[in-house]
Structure formats: C-alpha cells, structure tokens
Amino acid sequence: MYLYLAALLVGLYLLFQWHRDKQRISNLTEKYVFITGCCSGFGNLLARQLDARGFRVLAACFTPEGAEKLKENASERLQTTILDVCSTESVARATEWVKSQVGDKGLWGLVNNAGIGVPSGPNEWLTKEDFKKIMDVNFLGMVDVTIHMIPLLRKANGRVVNISSMMGRLATIGGGYCPSKFAVEGFSDSLRRESASFGLKVSIIEPSFFKTTIIDEKTLFSCFKSLWERLPDETKRLYGESYLEEIFKQIRNIQTTCNTNLSLVTDCMEHALTAIHPRTRYSAGWEAKLLYIPLSYLPAWVADLLITYSYPKPQQCK
C-alpha cells in the first residue's frame, strides 16, 4: 500500500513539474535579452536561436569579426556590441548602449555566457596570475556585468541566466576553471535570494562536456606545452614526459567523446528566459544527469576514487 502511495505521489509531482515547465511567457518580440560571449559556442547559437523566436537580442562579442559574422546569420532585429568583461570601462559602455536600446521597457534577460578554460593543469604547474586570468573572465567579469545591468533588469522584472558547469559541482581539474564555476554557483544563489523581492529570477546552467572552444584541441595542447616548458627541471623529473603524453592522449579522447549538440544547452537557456516558472538549475547532457550530479552527492572518498582513476600518474609517485 505504501509503495503504491509513494508511486502515486511521485507521479503527481512529475505531472505537476511537467505542467509548470510548459507554461511560457508571451510578447517575446517586446523583450530584450543581452548575451555575453557571442563570438562562438553557446552564446552564438543562443543569440541566433532567440532571434529566430522573435526576441530583441543584444549580443556582446569580444571581437568585431565575431560580431560581423553573427549579424550575417541573424535578422535585422539582432544588434551587436563589443565587450571585454574584464574591463569595467568596457562593461560601463556596454551598459549605456543597452540602456539606449531598451528604453523604458528595461532588460528582460541577461545571459552571462562569456568564459575561458585555459590556463588549466596541475595546480603545481600554475601561478597566481594563471588563476586570476580565468577568474577575471568567468567570475569577476560576470559579477561586474550583472551589477551594472541590475537596474535595467529590475525595470522589466527580468531574469539572469548564469552559465556554470558540472565542474562547479565537482572539481575534476586543476587551475582556475573549477574555482571560477564554484564561485558562479555561490554568486548566483545569493543573487537569487536577495533579488526575489524585486521580482528578478536567477537560473544556473550546468553543462557537462560539449564541443566548444573551451575544449579546443589546439588550444589545450598549446596550454599544456607552454606550462611544461616553464616548469623547473626538478618538477619535470618528478612528473616525467610520460605524464604530459598521457594528458595529450586524454585531450584527444575528449574531442571524440564530448557532446556536439549545443542546443541541449541553449534550450535550457531559452527555457530559463521564456518559462513562467524557470528552474533554479538546469543540467545539460545525460553525462551531467547520470554521472556528475549523483557523484557530487556521494561521499568525497567515492568521488576521489572514481575521478582520480583516470588521472595520469607522475613518474616518481609513491
């Protein structure tokens, strides 16, 4: 009896959740969305996807070439600007530009998508500046853009969509990438709670491995080669050339196993912007749902065992 009751309750909950997810906002053509990191990857696809839905997309690109290429593949509604999230002056200029675009309507959506993945590697191989480079883009840049845009978002009772990662739940590599994504999670949670009184909603997107420039093979190879070349001879002897070769092998494997369907992520972003009841967190990709999320709730020693199983071993390890 209790088993049937439990199954009934689970079924009712899933039905209720499905019904909530299906409820969408209207008047998309009157809503403005500002997206960072639109030169490529998730940001580029999302800008074109929302443009096709009728949104008034304000796309921020890092380079003029990226902006021009995006405009060639979108409607006349889509507008672009150049933005370096590491520069507060650039962020302030972009904010004034957005303000001139949205007028009294305010900003419906802010998608903080800009991010980088290198330099990454064993923590011992890195410097404070290596960590800072990633934190400046992935976290502090996000904070700066959000703080500047909050008054415009408040005017429209809008949404903030922050792109994190499964590595914001479970640290699998050294360097600034995982800490930056953990910071994104913390910032987003605090922002969601303190902004609820103003009608703002904050969602976090947590993708697993997808084929974007962050895991580009040439970029990663170049990163690890440069890190290796600057290491002291003693550290090189400790790790050995075989360690570096194993890293290269794993990079090649990632290229063949990562998900190429970026729309799995951009569909989550779109839902966060169009649903009447957006979710707090979206996990994109079955690897995220079936591996990383369950693993993040298990005891640390279990996660350590499973994650380090595939780690390359230093030549002189104990």
Side-chain angles (χ1 to χ4, degrees):
M1 176 182 175
Y2 291 112
L3 184 61
Y4 289 119
L5 180 60
L8 177 63
L9 291 175
V10 170
L12 288 174
Y13 170 76
L14 293 175
L15 182 63
F16 171 72
Q17 191 66 45
W18 175 83
H19 178 67
R20 277 173 59 92
D21 281 351
K22 290 296 182 181
Q23 298 178 57
R24 301 299 177 99
I25 62 171
S26 57
N27 300 323
L28 300 186
T29 56
E30 298 178 8
K31 298 188 183 302
Y32 290 84
V33 178
F34 181 68
I35 310 169
T36 68
C38 291
C39 284
S40 64
F42 300 136
N44 185 279
L45 178 58
L46 179 67
R48 291 182 283 116
Q49 186 171 321
L50 295 183
D51 177 57
R53 289 291 307 276
F55 275 100
R56 296 188 176 275
V57 177
L58 307 175
C61 297
F62 186 62
T63 66
E65 295 78 15
E68 285 300 320
K69 188 173 181 180
L70 175 58
K71 290 189 76 171
E72 290 173 1
N73 293 283
S75 75
E76 293 182 355
R77 282 190 309 273
L78 185 143
Q79 300 296 316
T80 62
T81 189
I82 306 304
L83 173 64
D84 177 2
V85 297
C86 296
S87 166
T88 297
E89 291 182 357
S90 180
V91 172
R93 285 194 299 271
T95 304
E96 290 302 312
W97 176 76
V98 171
K99 189 182 298 184
S100 70
Q101 294 286 327
V102 304
D104 295 333
K105 291 183 178 180
L107 183 63
W108 172 254
L110 166 63
V111 182
N112 283 307
N113 169 73
I116 60 174
V118 294
S120 292
N123 291 307
E124 184 183 8
W125 294 17
L126 302 166
T127 65
K128 176 184 175 181
E129 288 304 312
D130 293 329
F131 280 82
K132 185 175 182 298
K133 181 178 180 181
I134 292 184
M135 292 295 290
D136 280 347
V137 178
N138 294 6
F139 176 58
L140 296 177
M142 171 184 288
V143 171
D144 201 13
V145 171
T146 304
I147 290 173
H148 276 79
M149 296 291 175
I150 280 178
L152 298 176
L153 289 160
R154 196 155 45 213
K155 186 177 291 187
N157 291 331
R159 281 98 186 274
V160 179
V161 181
N162 290 333
I163 313 308
S164 180
S165 168
M166 275 299 113
M167 293 187 188
R169 284 177 176 259
L170 204 64
T172 59
I173 58 172
Y177 188 79
C178 292
S180 74
K181 294 306 182 180
F182 271 86
V184 167
E185 300 268 343
F187 172 68
S188 301
D189 283 340
S190 64
L191 181 67
R192 183 183 66 255
R193 289 161 185 152
E194 68 190 20
S195 300
S197 299
F198 297 109
L200 298 183
K201 293 180 171 62
V202 181
S203 297
I204 305 169
I205 313 295
E206 300 172 331
S208 53
F209 285 102
F210 283 82
K211 188 76 171 179
T212 67
T213 54
I214 282 185
I215 60 169
D216 176 69
E217 183 174 339
K218 290 183 180 179
T219 301
L220 292 175
F221 270 38
S222 176
C223 169
F224 279 98
K225 283 179 180 177
S226 62
L227 291 177
W228 177 262
E229 288 169 359
R230 77 183 190 190
L231 287 177
D233 290 340
E234 181 181 351
T235 306
K236 288 182 178 180
R237 285 194 297 271
L238 179 66
Y239 283 88
E241 290 277 355
S242 59
Y243 187 93
L244 184 63
E245 289 301 321
E246 185 60 30
I247 288 177
F248 289 158
K249 180 180 177 181
Q250 292 187 0
I251 291 172
R252 294 188 192 97
N253 289 339
I254 288 174
Q255 307 305 311
T256 59
T257 58
C258 64
N259 201 319
T260 59
N261 186 8
L262 303 190
S263 64
L264 292 175
V265 179
T266 57
D267 286 349
C268 292
M269 298 177 184
E270 182 182 325
H271 187 274
L273 292 166
T274 60
I276 292 177
H277 305 288
R279 300 178 189 176
T280 300
R281 281 175 168 79
Y282 294 82
S283 302
W286 287 111
E287 191 176 37
K289 293 178 174 66
L290 300 180
L291 176 61
Y292 286 103
I293 290 179
L295 197 56
S296 69
Y297 288 109
L298 292 175
W301 68 268
V302 177
D304 291 350
L305 184 65
L306 292 176
I307 292 171
T308 58
Y309 177 78
S310 61
Y311 272 21
K313 299 296 186 289
Q315 189 170 308
Q316 298 184 26
C317 63
K318 293 183 179 179

PDB file of all heavy atoms in Angstrom, residues 238 313-318:
ATOM      1  N   LEU A 238      60.029  14.912 -11.747  1.00  0.00           N
ATOM      2  CA  LEU A 238      59.054  14.315 -10.846  1.00  0.00           C
ATOM      3  C   LEU A 238      57.852  13.758 -11.625  1.00  0.00           C
ATOM      4  O   LEU A 238      57.399  12.639 -11.362  1.00  0.00           O
ATOM      5  CB  LEU A 238      58.570  15.357  -9.830  1.00  0.00           C
ATOM      6  CG  LEU A 238      57.514  14.899  -8.827  1.00  0.00           C
ATOM      7  CD1 LEU A 238      58.099  13.849  -7.892  1.00  0.00           C
ATOM      8  CD2 LEU A 238      56.981  16.084  -8.035  1.00  0.00           C
ATOM      9  N   LYS A 313      49.524   9.267 -13.990  1.00  0.00           N
ATOM     10  CA  LYS A 313      50.315   9.121 -12.771  1.00  0.00           C
ATOM     11  C   LYS A 313      51.718   9.699 -12.963  1.00  0.00           C
ATOM     12  O   LYS A 313      52.397   9.390 -13.954  1.00  0.00           O
ATOM     13  CB  LYS A 313      50.439   7.630 -12.384  1.00  0.00           C
ATOM     14  CG  LYS A 313      49.093   6.967 -12.096  1.00  0.00           C
ATOM     15  CD  LYS A 313      48.418   7.582 -10.883  1.00  0.00           C
ATOM     16  CE  LYS A 313      47.160   6.824 -10.500  1.00  0.00           C
ATOM     17  NZ  LYS A 313      46.055   7.018 -11.482  1.00  0.00           N
ATOM     18  N   PRO A 314      52.177  10.536 -12.043  1.00  0.00           N
ATOM     19  CA  PRO A 314      53.540  11.066 -12.127  1.00  0.00           C
ATOM     20  C   PRO A 314      54.570   9.933 -12.140  1.00  0.00           C
ATOM     21  O   PRO A 314      54.368   8.891 -11.510  1.00  0.00           O
ATOM     22  CB  PRO A 314      53.675  11.934 -10.879  1.00  0.00           C
ATOM     23  CG  PRO A 314      52.279  12.280 -10.489  1.00  0.00           C
ATOM     24  CD  PRO A 314      51.447  11.098 -10.883  1.00  0.00           C
ATOM     25  N   GLN A 315      55.671  10.154 -12.802  1.00  0.00           N
ATOM     26  CA  GLN A 315      56.686   9.122 -12.962  1.00  0.00           C
ATOM     27  C   GLN A 315      57.274   8.707 -11.620  1.00  0.00           C
ATOM     28  O   GLN A 315      57.589   7.541 -11.400  1.00  0.00           O
ATOM     29  CB  GLN A 315      57.791   9.634 -13.881  1.00  0.00           C
ATOM     30  CG  GLN A 315      58.796   8.579 -14.299  1.00  0.00           C
ATOM     31  CD  GLN A 315      59.715   9.094 -15.385  1.00  0.00           C
ATOM     32  OE1 GLN A 315      59.252   9.599 -16.405  1.00  0.00           O
ATOM     33  NE2 GLN A 315      61.002   8.988 -15.177  1.00  0.00           N
ATOM     34  N   GLN A 316      57.431   9.654 -10.697  1.00  0.00           N
ATOM     35  CA  GLN A 316      58.053   9.358  -9.420  1.00  0.00           C
ATOM     36  C   GLN A 316      57.051   9.392  -8.283  1.00  0.00           C
ATOM     37  O   GLN A 316      57.374   9.764  -7.154  1.00  0.00           O
ATOM     38  CB  GLN A 316      59.180  10.355  -9.138  1.00  0.00           C
ATOM     39  CG  GLN A 316      60.311  10.296 -10.165  1.00  0.00           C
ATOM     40  CD  GLN A 316      61.459  11.223  -9.814  1.00  0.00           C
ATOM     41  OE1 GLN A 316      61.676  11.551  -8.654  1.00  0.00           O
ATOM     42  NE2 GLN A 316      62.224  11.636 -10.809  1.00  0.00           N
ATOM     43  N   CYS A 317      55.801   8.989  -8.553  1.00  0.00           N
ATOM     44  CA  CYS A 317      54.791   8.980  -7.491  1.00  0.00           C
ATOM     45  C   CYS A 317      55.073   7.837  -6.544  1.00  0.00           C
ATOM     46  O   CYS A 317      55.721   6.843  -6.880  1.00  0.00           O
ATOM     47  CB  CYS A 317      53.388   8.846  -8.079  1.00  0.00           C
ATOM     48  SG  CYS A 317      53.096   7.306  -8.960  1.00  0.00           S
ATOM     49  N   LYS A 318      54.547   7.961  -5.312  1.00  0.00           N
ATOM     50  CA  LYS A 318      54.781   6.940  -4.299  1.00  0.00           C
ATOM     51  C   LYS A 318      53.814   5.785  -4.479  1.00  0.00           C
ATOM     52  O   LYS A 318      52.683   5.945  -4.904  1.00  0.00           O
ATOM     53  CB  LYS A 318      54.596   7.558  -2.906  1.00  0.00           C
ATOM     54  CG  LYS A 318      55.658   8.602  -2.583  1.00  0.00           C
ATOM     55  CD  LYS A 318      55.486   9.144  -1.175  1.00  0.00           C
ATOM     56  CE  LYS A 318      56.553  10.167  -0.832  1.00  0.00           C
ATOM     57  NZ  LYS A 318      56.405  10.723   0.518  1.00  0.00           N
TER      58      LYS A 318
END
